[in-house]
Amino acid sequence: MNIDAIMRLSPVIPVLVIDEDGPDPVELAETLVANGLRVIEVTLRTPGALAAMTAMAGVSGAVVGAGTILDPDQLLRAIDAGAKFIVSPGLTERIGRAAIDSGVAYLPGVANSGDIMRGMEMGLDRFKFFPAMASGGLPALKALCGPFYDARFCPTGGITRGTAPEWLADPAVLCVGGSWVVPKGEWSMAKIGVLAKTAAQLR
Ligand code: 3PG
Protein backbone atom coordinates (compact mmCIF):
# COMPACT_ATOMS: atom_id res chain seq x y z
CA MET A 1 0.00 0.00 0.00
CA ASN A 2 1.42 3.42 -0.87
CA ILE A 3 1.38 6.33 1.56
CA ASP A 4 -1.66 7.97 -0.06
CA ALA A 5 -3.73 4.79 0.37
CA ILE A 6 -2.57 4.40 3.97
CA MET A 7 -3.48 8.02 4.79
CA ARG A 8 -6.99 7.45 3.44
CA LEU A 9 -7.66 4.31 5.52
CA SER A 10 -8.82 6.15 8.62
CA PRO A 11 -9.23 9.79 9.65
CA VAL A 12 -6.88 9.57 12.63
CA ILE A 13 -3.49 7.91 12.99
CA PRO A 14 -2.85 7.24 16.68
CA VAL A 15 0.73 8.21 17.53
CA LEU A 16 1.90 5.76 20.17
CA VAL A 17 4.69 5.98 22.71
CA ILE A 18 5.07 2.42 23.99
CA ASP A 19 6.17 2.44 27.61
CA GLU A 20 7.45 -0.75 29.23
CA ASP A 21 4.87 -0.39 31.94
CA GLY A 22 2.10 0.46 29.47
CA PRO A 23 -0.64 -1.73 28.00
CA ASP A 24 0.14 -4.90 26.08
CA PRO A 25 0.98 -3.78 22.50
CA VAL A 26 -0.93 -6.59 20.78
CA GLU A 27 -4.04 -5.98 22.88
CA LEU A 28 -3.69 -2.28 22.13
CA ALA A 29 -3.46 -2.85 18.37
CA GLU A 30 -6.43 -5.23 18.48
CA THR A 31 -8.48 -2.61 20.34
CA LEU A 32 -7.59 0.15 17.88
CA VAL A 33 -8.37 -2.00 14.83
CA ALA A 34 -11.61 -3.33 16.32
CA ASN A 35 -12.76 0.24 16.83
CA GLY A 36 -11.95 1.40 13.31
CA LEU A 37 -8.38 2.70 13.50
CA ARG A 38 -6.31 0.41 11.31
CA VAL A 39 -3.31 2.67 10.80
CA ILE A 40 -1.02 2.83 13.82
CA GLU A 41 2.22 4.77 14.26
CA VAL A 42 4.64 3.40 16.84
CA THR A 43 7.24 6.03 17.69
CA LEU A 44 10.77 4.73 18.21
CA ARG A 45 11.26 6.74 21.38
CA THR A 46 11.33 3.96 23.93
CA PRO A 47 13.53 0.85 24.26
CA GLY A 48 10.80 -1.68 23.49
CA ALA A 49 9.21 0.24 20.62
CA LEU A 50 10.64 -1.78 17.73
CA ALA A 51 9.69 -5.15 19.24
CA ALA A 52 6.24 -3.83 20.08
CA MET A 53 5.80 -2.62 16.51
CA THR A 54 6.71 -6.06 15.14
CA ALA A 55 4.21 -7.72 17.48
CA MET A 56 1.47 -5.25 16.56
CA ALA A 57 2.13 -5.74 12.84
CA GLY A 58 0.87 -9.29 13.24
CA VAL A 59 -2.61 -8.15 14.27
CA SER A 60 -5.10 -8.83 11.51
CA GLY A 61 -6.21 -5.63 9.75
CA ALA A 62 -3.55 -3.45 11.35
CA VAL A 63 -1.27 -1.31 9.20
CA VAL A 64 1.58 -0.55 11.58
CA GLY A 65 4.34 1.91 10.86
CA ALA A 66 7.32 3.38 12.64
CA GLY A 67 7.51 7.02 13.67
CA THR A 68 10.25 9.31 14.98
CA ILE A 69 12.64 7.88 12.38
CA LEU A 70 15.61 10.22 12.40
CA ASP A 71 18.20 8.63 10.07
CA PRO A 72 18.61 6.03 7.30
CA ASP A 73 19.88 3.33 9.70
CA GLN A 74 16.78 3.58 11.84
CA LEU A 75 14.65 3.57 8.72
CA LEU A 76 16.16 0.30 7.48
CA ARG A 77 15.90 -1.31 10.92
CA ALA A 78 12.24 -0.36 11.14
CA ILE A 79 11.54 -1.82 7.69
CA ASP A 80 13.34 -5.04 8.70
CA ALA A 81 11.18 -5.14 11.81
CA GLY A 82 8.03 -5.04 9.67
CA ALA A 83 7.09 -1.37 9.40
CA LYS A 84 4.51 -0.87 6.64
CA PHE A 85 5.19 2.86 6.58
CA ILE A 86 7.78 5.25 7.94
CA VAL A 87 7.21 8.65 9.53
CA SER A 88 9.98 11.16 10.21
CA PRO A 89 9.46 14.47 12.01
CA GLY A 90 11.40 16.32 9.32
CA LEU A 91 12.90 15.73 5.89
CA THR A 92 16.59 15.53 5.06
CA GLU A 93 18.13 14.59 1.74
CA ARG A 94 19.67 11.42 3.25
CA ILE A 95 16.53 10.07 4.87
CA GLY A 96 14.38 11.03 1.90
CA ARG A 97 16.68 9.20 -0.52
CA ALA A 98 16.90 6.15 1.76
CA ALA A 99 13.12 5.96 2.02
CA ILE A 100 12.62 6.30 -1.74
CA ASP A 101 15.34 3.73 -2.52
CA SER A 102 13.75 1.26 -0.08
CA GLY A 103 10.34 1.61 -1.72
CA VAL A 104 8.62 1.91 1.68
CA ALA A 105 5.53 4.11 2.12
CA TYR A 106 7.03 7.28 3.54
CA LEU A 107 5.51 10.26 5.35
CA PRO A 108 8.10 12.96 5.99
CA GLY A 109 7.46 15.89 8.28
CA VAL A 110 7.31 19.39 6.82
CA ALA A 111 6.67 22.73 8.47
CA ASN A 112 7.28 25.30 5.73
CA SER A 113 7.62 25.95 1.99
CA GLY A 114 11.30 25.01 1.86
CA ASP A 115 10.58 21.62 3.42
CA ILE A 116 7.80 20.93 0.93
CA MET A 117 9.94 22.03 -2.03
CA ARG A 118 12.77 19.74 -0.88
CA GLY A 119 10.27 16.88 -0.77
CA MET A 120 8.83 17.71 -4.16
CA GLU A 121 12.32 17.77 -5.67
CA MET A 122 12.54 14.14 -4.54
CA GLY A 123 9.12 13.31 -5.98
CA LEU A 124 7.29 13.33 -2.63
CA ASP A 125 3.89 14.98 -2.25
CA ARG A 126 2.37 13.42 0.85
CA PHE A 127 3.56 14.98 4.08
CA LYS A 128 3.11 15.12 7.84
CA PHE A 129 2.54 18.80 8.73
CA PHE A 130 4.49 18.96 11.97
CA PRO A 131 4.29 20.41 14.54
CA ALA A 132 0.89 21.42 13.19
CA MET A 133 -0.34 23.82 15.86
CA ALA A 134 3.05 25.33 16.73
CA SER A 135 3.72 25.90 13.00
CA GLY A 136 0.69 28.14 12.64
CA GLY A 137 -2.22 25.73 12.71
CA LEU A 138 -4.83 25.45 9.97
CA PRO A 139 -4.27 29.01 8.63
CA ALA A 140 -0.62 28.13 7.97
CA LEU A 141 -1.55 24.90 6.20
CA LYS A 142 -4.16 26.68 4.07
CA ALA A 143 -1.56 29.27 3.07
CA LEU A 144 0.93 26.54 2.10
CA CYS A 145 -1.74 24.84 -0.01
CA GLY A 146 -1.88 27.88 -2.33
CA PRO A 147 1.39 27.16 -4.10
CA PHE A 148 1.47 23.47 -3.17
CA TYR A 149 -2.06 22.67 -4.37
CA ASP A 150 -1.18 19.06 -5.22
CA ALA A 151 0.27 18.19 -1.83
CA ARG A 152 -1.74 16.30 0.78
CA PHE A 153 -1.13 16.27 4.49
CA CYS A 154 -1.43 14.49 7.80
CA PRO A 155 -1.23 17.34 10.33
CA THR A 156 0.17 16.18 13.67
CA GLY A 157 1.23 17.91 16.86
CA GLY A 158 -1.20 19.65 19.16
CA ILE A 159 -4.33 18.30 17.46
CA THR A 160 -7.12 17.16 19.77
CA ARG A 161 -10.43 15.35 19.52
CA GLY A 162 -12.03 18.81 19.58
CA THR A 163 -9.93 20.39 16.81
CA ALA A 164 -9.53 17.34 14.53
CA PRO A 165 -12.84 17.92 12.63
CA GLU A 166 -11.85 21.37 11.39
CA TRP A 167 -8.56 19.99 10.09
CA LEU A 168 -10.29 17.02 8.46
CA ALA A 169 -12.71 19.36 6.70
CA ASP A 170 -9.83 20.81 4.67
CA PRO A 171 -9.54 19.07 1.28
CA ALA A 172 -5.74 18.91 1.55
CA VAL A 173 -5.96 16.94 4.80
CA LEU A 174 -6.25 13.18 4.29
CA CYS A 175 -5.95 12.32 7.99
CA VAL A 176 -4.59 13.74 11.22
CA GLY A 177 -2.16 12.25 13.72
CA GLY A 178 -2.36 12.47 17.46
CA SER A 179 -1.48 10.96 20.77
CA TRP A 180 -4.85 11.70 22.34
CA VAL A 181 -6.34 8.36 21.26
CA VAL A 182 -3.97 6.51 23.58
CA PRO A 183 -3.20 8.92 26.43
CA LYS A 184 -0.07 8.38 28.47
CA GLY A 185 -0.83 6.26 31.49
CA GLU A 186 -4.11 4.95 30.11
CA TRP A 187 -4.33 1.18 30.59
CA SER A 188 -8.03 0.60 30.16
CA MET A 189 -8.78 -1.02 26.79
CA ALA A 190 -12.43 -0.07 27.29
CA LYS A 191 -11.50 3.62 27.52
CA ILE A 192 -9.03 3.41 24.64
CA GLY A 193 -11.70 1.63 22.60
CA VAL A 194 -14.14 4.50 23.13
CA LEU A 195 -11.49 7.09 22.21
CA ALA A 196 -10.59 5.10 19.08
CA LYS A 197 -14.19 4.65 18.00
CA THR A 198 -14.86 8.37 18.41
CA ALA A 199 -11.74 9.17 16.40
CA ALA A 200 -12.65 6.70 13.66
CA GLN A 201 -16.02 8.38 13.24
CA LEU A 202 -14.63 11.89 12.88
CA ARG A 203 -15.15 11.85 9.15
C1 3PG B 1 4.24 13.26 17.20
O1 3PG B 1 5.05 12.62 17.80
O2 3PG B 1 3.99 13.11 16.01
C2 3PG B 1 3.54 14.26 18.00
O3 3PG B 1 4.28 14.51 19.15
C3 3PG B 1 2.16 13.87 18.39
O4 3PG B 1 1.62 15.05 18.77
P1 3PG B 1 0.56 15.19 19.94
O5 3PG B 1 1.14 14.48 21.14
O6 3PG B 1 0.43 16.67 20.15
O7 3PG B 1 -0.72 14.56 19.46
Side-chain angles (χ1 to χ4, degrees):
M1 222 182 299
N2 65 25
I3 194 62
D4 181 81
I6 291 172
M7 292 167 82
R8 292 173 192 274
L9 275 180
S10 46
V12 178
I13 300 180
V15 177
L16 307 186
V17 179
I18 303 285
D19 284 320
E20 251 169 59
D21 60 350
D24 174 66
V26 170
E27 211 184 324
L28 183 54
E30 286 169 350
T31 302
L32 293 170
V33 171
N35 286 284
L37 296 185
R38 291 183 55 200
V39 184
I40 300 169
E41 177 186 335
V42 179
T43 58
L44 299 196
R45 297 179 198 175
T46 51
L50 209 55
M53 189 201 69
T54 304
M56 294 166 99
V59 170
S60 175
V63 178
V64 183
T68 322
I69 296 293
L70 303 179
D71 59 52
D73 284 350
Q74 263 190 330
L75 179 132
L76 295 177
R77 268 188 280 128
I79 295 170
D80 283 348
K84 292 288 185 295
F85 64 96
I86 295 290
V87 186
S88 57
L91 176 60
T92 68
E93 187 76 22
R94 282 180 69 228
I95 200 162
R97 290 283 162 220
I100 291 164
D101 290 349
S102 76
V104 74
Y106 178 48
L107 189 64
V110 296
N112 56 47
S113 298
D115 293 343
I116 296 171
M117 289 169 69
R118 194 176 325 116
M120 286 187 154
E121 282 179 1
M122 292 181 218
L124 302 167
D125 59 5
R126 297 293 181 265
F127 302 105
K128 162 174 166 161
F129 179 48
F130 177 80
M133 287 307 292
S135 302
L138 194 49
L141 185 69
K142 282 185 186 295
L144 288 168
C145 287
F148 306 113
Y149 51 85
D150 275 346
R152 295 292 178 269
F153 298 90
C154 172
T156 306
I159 295 173
T160 66
R161 154 79 187 88
T163 60
E166 63 204 51
W167 286 96
L168 289 165
D170 190 290
V173 173
L174 300 184
C175 60
V176 301
S179 60
W180 86 86
V181 180
V182 182
K184 193 170 169 53
E186 182 57 74
W187 277 80
S188 160
M189 287 303 133
K191 284 190 191 157
I192 290 170
V194 171
L195 290 167
K197 185 169 250 170
T198 309
Q201 290 168 350
L202 282 179
R203 179 157 59 192

